[in-house]
Amino acid sequence: MSENTMLKADEFDRRFDDGEDISDFLEFSQASRPGLEKQTVSFSFPSWMIASMADQSKILGVSTEAMVTMWISEKLPKTHRHTFQEHAQ
């Protein structure tokens, strides 16, 4: 079937439940991941902290932003972290 072919909901569900590849029937350009939308914030840190975070992120092989995001997510209450981890998979 071409990607423009429409399926009735029950046929779509049956194919999904049977483990068939349904990707031709999905419009990924409109997809979203609720709770994971990016929002920019600004914090001020002493320069020694910035340098230390940069050094640590290089050791870990990730961006400083990714490292700080990970650290903060580890400190948030588990109820919020649980929601984040569910969406991140």
Side-chain angles (χ1 to χ4, degrees), residues 37-75:
E37 297 87 0
K38 299 280 184 177
Q39 185 174 357
T40 301
V41 295
S42 177
F43 295 100
S44 297
F45 294 102
S47 58
W48 69 267
M49 282 183 151
I50 301 292
S52 182
M53 287 188 286
D55 291 344
Q56 189 65 34
S57 68
K58 286 178 187 173
I59 291 169
L60 296 173
V62 298
S63 69
T64 303
E65 179 181 350
M67 182 188 69
V68 171
T69 300
M70 180 183 66
W71 286 353
I72 292 172
S73 71
E74 290 172 353
K75 298 299 180 185

Side-chain angles (χ1 to χ4, degrees), residues 3-88:
E3 61 184 89
N4 293 327
T5 302
M6 298 289 288
L7 287 182
K8 290 187 176 185
D10 59 344
E11 177 66 10
F12 181 87
D13 291 344
R14 183 198 61 76
R15 289 176 182 228
F16 177 82
D17 291 342
D18 289 347
E20 293 183 35
D21 181 3
I22 56 167
S23 59
D24 285 344
F25 305 103
L26 302 174
E27 178 58 53
F28 291 106
S29 67
Q30 300 298 315
S32 67
R33 297 179 70 190
L36 293 180
E37 297 87 0
K38 299 280 184 177
Q39 185 174 357
T40 301
V41 295
S42 177
F43 295 100
S44 297
F45 294 102
S47 58
W48 69 267
M49 282 183 151
I50 301 292
S52 182
M53 287 188 286
D55 291 344
Q56 189 65 34
S57 68
K58 286 178 187 173
I59 291 169
L60 296 173
V62 298
S63 69
T64 303
E65 179 181 350
M67 182 188 69
V68 171
T69 300
M70 180 183 66
W71 286 353
I72 292 172
S73 71
E74 290 172 353
K75 298 299 180 185
L76 291 174
K78 288 184 180 184
T79 54
H80 295 290
R81 189 169 1 128
H82 176 74
T83 302
F84 174 77
Q85 288 174 342
E86 275 183 354
H87 291 295

